[in-house]
């Protein structure tokens, strides 16, 4: 059986010490950090989930500050760092150097990129540093890539070559790392979704992953994903997954969307205690959905240390201001919140399982 719930909330139970810390004190030190090296990007994706109002925010972390942040993440008990955006991490000249430094500190490193700047030199650095890398393709053909990334067929062909080269390096140098390809599903492109899966398998990726588009801050609810979409993805999963290649999808999200059952079984966000965001403006934010929103800013790493920010009154105020009307359904912390909320509730006859 292929585990299609690889991205589910039960991974938090691998960090039972932090869960206990949270239950005992009401807060936990973060396990995972998303770090945006820059807000600059070389793509024009219409569904970009980067920094809020990224077009007017051309920030990037200085190399010196980014290295200091890695030290502070390690010193404060962080375990995993994902380099993402924001913008495109490879648009920052020091992104790979900082990723290598994080790896040498003993942090697990993930990397999310659109793949356009993933040259051989960049691929070598990635292979030497990461536990996993995901390339956001969002297309299985030049025509769809033009719509989802705003670039022409030449860019699509370049990315395919870069992925092929990356996987070749992985197989020869670090076969233990994971290479995945991502596909956001706005209005379904069933034939293109199949082309994407076939491309991923041909290139030698470890997995391809489908994820639904979520609304961004200030947008109306998005109703793109239908029952037809999840049925198409399930069919692709059954037809093409094997022991060397997996078709993965955020199954619980698609099921909720297709059933029209989108509710929060909790009324407090606890998940932000375990995963947080450091944006390219050197500020920390509650989660990836609140990048760039002053309301949810926790503090500025140019002025205070990570530990100071995490224990600050400003962070407490940001947490207490959380308004679920600002948050997309099925958000980054949704599955964690469901599990953590269940843990917090009083249990009847707890010794009877």
């Amino acid at each position: 059986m292929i585990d299609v719930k690889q991205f589910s909330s039960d991974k938090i139970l691998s960090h039972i010490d932090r869960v206990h810390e949270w239950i005992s004190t009401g807060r936990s030190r973060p396990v995972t950090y998303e770090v945006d090296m820059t807000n600059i990007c070389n793509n024009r994706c219409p569904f970009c989930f980067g920094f809020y109002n990224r077009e007017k925010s051309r920030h990037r972390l200085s190399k010196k500050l980014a290295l200091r942040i890695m030290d502070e993440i390690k010193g404060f008990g962080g375990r995993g760092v994902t380099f993402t955006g924001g913008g495109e991490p490879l648009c920052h000249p020091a992104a790979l150097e900082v990723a290598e430094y994080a790896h040498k500190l003993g942090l697990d490193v993930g990397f999310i990129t659109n793949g356009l700047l993933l040259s051989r030199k960049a691929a070598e650095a990635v292979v030497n540093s990461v536990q996993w890398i995901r390339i956001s393709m969002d297309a299985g053909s030049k025509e769809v890539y033009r719509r989802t990334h705003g670039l022409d067929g030449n860019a699509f062909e370049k990315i395919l070559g870069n992925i092929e080269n990356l996987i070749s390096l992985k197989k020869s140098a670090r076969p233990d790392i994971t290479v995945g390809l991502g596909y956001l599903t706005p209005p379904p492109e069933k034939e293109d979704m199949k082309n994407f899966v076939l491309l991923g398998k041909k290139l030698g990726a470890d997995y391809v992953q489908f994820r639904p588009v979520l609304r961004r801050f200030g947008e109306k609810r998005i109703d793109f994903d239908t029952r037809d979409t999840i049925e198409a993805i399930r069919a692709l999963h059954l037809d093409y997954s094997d022991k060397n290649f997996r078709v993965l999808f955020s199954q619980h999200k698609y099921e909720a969307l297709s059933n029209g059952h989108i509710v929060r079984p909790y009324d407090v966000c606890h998940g932000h205690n375990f995963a947080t965001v450091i944006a390219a403006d050197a500020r920390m934010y509650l989660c990836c959905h609140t990048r760039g929103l002053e309301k949810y800013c926790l503090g500025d790493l140019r002025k205070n240390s990570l530990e100071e920010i995490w224990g600050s009154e400003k962070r407490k105020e940001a947490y207490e201001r959380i308004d679920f009307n600002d948050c997309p359904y099925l958000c980054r912390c949704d599955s964690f919140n469901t599990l953590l909320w269940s843990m917090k509730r009083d249990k009847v006859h707890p010794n009877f399982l």
Side-chain angles (χ1 to χ4, degrees), residues 183-311:
Y183 192 115
L184 284 174
T185 56
E189 298 273 359
K190 293 183 185 178
E191 192 59 36
D192 189 70
M193 289 161 65
K194 180 178 178 180
N195 291 339
F196 168 71
V197 171
L198 293 173
L199 265 178
K201 193 157 192 170
K202 180 181 177 182
L203 289 166
D206 296 295
Y207 73 88
V208 294
Q209 181 197 11
F210 292 101
R211 293 180 299 133
V213 170
L214 302 180
R215 73 172 177 87
R216 294 166 291 191
F217 178 77
E219 288 183 336
K220 295 180 180 179
R221 176 176 164 182
I222 295 175
D223 293 313
F224 285 154
D225 296 287
T226 66
R227 191 177 302 275
D228 288 345
T229 306
I230 190 171
E231 291 307 320
I233 296 172
R234 281 182 175 141
L236 291 168
H237 164 68
L238 292 171
D239 289 345
Y240 296 104
S241 290
D242 57 39
K243 66 179 182 179
N244 298 314
F245 176 76
R246 290 167 290 175
V247 177
L248 301 177
F249 57 107
S250 303
Q251 179 167 291
H252 70 287
K253 293 185 180 182
Y254 281 105
E255 287 175 346
L257 288 164
S258 64
N259 294 331
H261 185 66
I262 308 176
V263 295
R264 290 187 173 92
Y266 51 86
D267 59 17
V268 177
C269 178
H270 295 302
H272 75 89
N273 285 284
F274 300 87
T276 192
V277 168
I278 297 170
D281 63 355
R283 293 178 164 196
M284 294 182 68
Y285 294 91
L286 274 172
C287 71
C288 61
H289 306 289
T290 61
R291 285 183 177 99
L293 298 176
E294 183 62 35
K295 178 180 179 181
Y296 297 120
C297 176
L298 310 182
D300 191 330
L301 285 160
R302 293 167 297 192
K303 300 175 182 178
N304 298 100
S305 70
L306 192 159
E307 185 171 359
E308 287 171 341
I309 290 172
W310 203 249

Side-chain angles (χ1 to χ4, degrees), residues 41-288:
C41 189
N42 53 1
N43 281 211
R44 298 185 294 275
C45 308
F47 300 110
C48 176
F49 223 111
F51 193 91
Y52 177 68
N53 204 10
R54 180 171 56 81
E55 292 76 12
K56 294 182 179 179
S57 172
R58 309 290 283 177
H59 292 101
R60 72 179 191 183
L61 295 176
S62 71
K63 174 183 166 183
K64 181 179 180 181
L65 178 56
L67 293 173
R68 192 202 91 194
I69 289 169
M70 294 304 112
D71 285 330
E72 293 190 11
I73 288 173
K74 179 65 177 179
F76 197 49
R79 292 167 180 172
V81 177
T82 302
F83 290 88
T84 180
E88 163 55 41
L90 291 177
C91 283
H92 193 299
L96 291 171
E97 186 177 347
V98 176
E100 287 182 288
Y101 183 73
H103 172 68
K104 288 175 182 177
L105 287 175
L107 294 164
D108 284 351
V109 175
F111 209 91
I112 299 174
T113 174
N114 60 42
L116 194 58
L117 297 176
L118 197 59
S119 63
R120 183 172 183 85
K121 182 178 180 181
E124 288 173 351
V126 165
V127 165
N128 289 331
S129 304
V130 306
Q131 272 63 50
W132 60 268
I133 177 172
R134 189 177 77 224
I135 296 93
S136 301
M137 285 181 63
D138 308 306
S141 63
K142 295 177 183 179
E143 294 73 21
V144 173
Y145 182 77
R146 188 177 293 110
R147 294 203 296 275
T148 58
H149 283 256
L151 301 178
D152 62 21
N154 291 331
F156 184 72
E157 292 294 340
K158 182 177 181 180
I159 288 164
L160 293 183
N162 289 345
I163 294 170
E164 188 173 24
N165 186 53
L166 171 70
I167 291 172
S168 176
L169 286 168
K170 158 197 151 74
K171 288 179 178 177
S172 62
R174 287 277 309 282
D176 57 311
I177 70 172
T178 304
V179 176
L181 310 179
Y183 192 115
L184 284 174
T185 56
E189 298 273 359
K190 293 183 185 178
E191 192 59 36
D192 189 70
M193 289 161 65
K194 180 178 178 180
N195 291 339
F196 168 71
V197 171
L198 293 173
L199 265 178
K201 193 157 192 170
K202 180 181 177 182
L203 289 166
D206 296 295
Y207 73 88
V208 294
Q209 181 197 11
F210 292 101
R211 293 180 299 133
V213 170
L214 302 180
R215 73 172 177 87
R216 294 166 291 191
F217 178 77
E219 288 183 336
K220 295 180 180 179
R221 176 176 164 182
I222 295 175
D223 293 313
F224 285 154
D225 296 287
T226 66
R227 191 177 302 275
D228 288 345
T229 306
I230 190 171
E231 291 307 320
I233 296 172
R234 281 182 175 141
L236 291 168
H237 164 68
L238 292 171
D239 289 345
Y240 296 104
S241 290
D242 57 39
K243 66 179 182 179
N244 298 314
F245 176 76
R246 290 167 290 175
V247 177
L248 301 177
F249 57 107
S250 303
Q251 179 167 291
H252 70 287
K253 293 185 180 182
Y254 281 105
E255 287 175 346
L257 288 164
S258 64
N259 294 331
H261 185 66
I262 308 176
V263 295
R264 290 187 173 92
Y266 51 86
D267 59 17
V268 177
C269 178
H270 295 302
H272 75 89
N273 285 284
F274 300 87
T276 192
V277 168
I278 297 170
D281 63 355
R283 293 178 164 196
M284 294 182 68
Y285 294 91
L286 274 172
C287 71
C288 61

Side-chain angles (χ1 to χ4, degrees), residues 306-322:
L306 192 159
E307 185 171 359
E308 287 171 341
I309 290 172
W310 203 249
S312 69
E313 191 65 24
K314 183 176 176 65
R315 174 178 174 261
K316 181 182 177 184
E317 290 170 358
Y319 164 72
E320 290 175 347
R321 279 196 298 266
I322 293 175

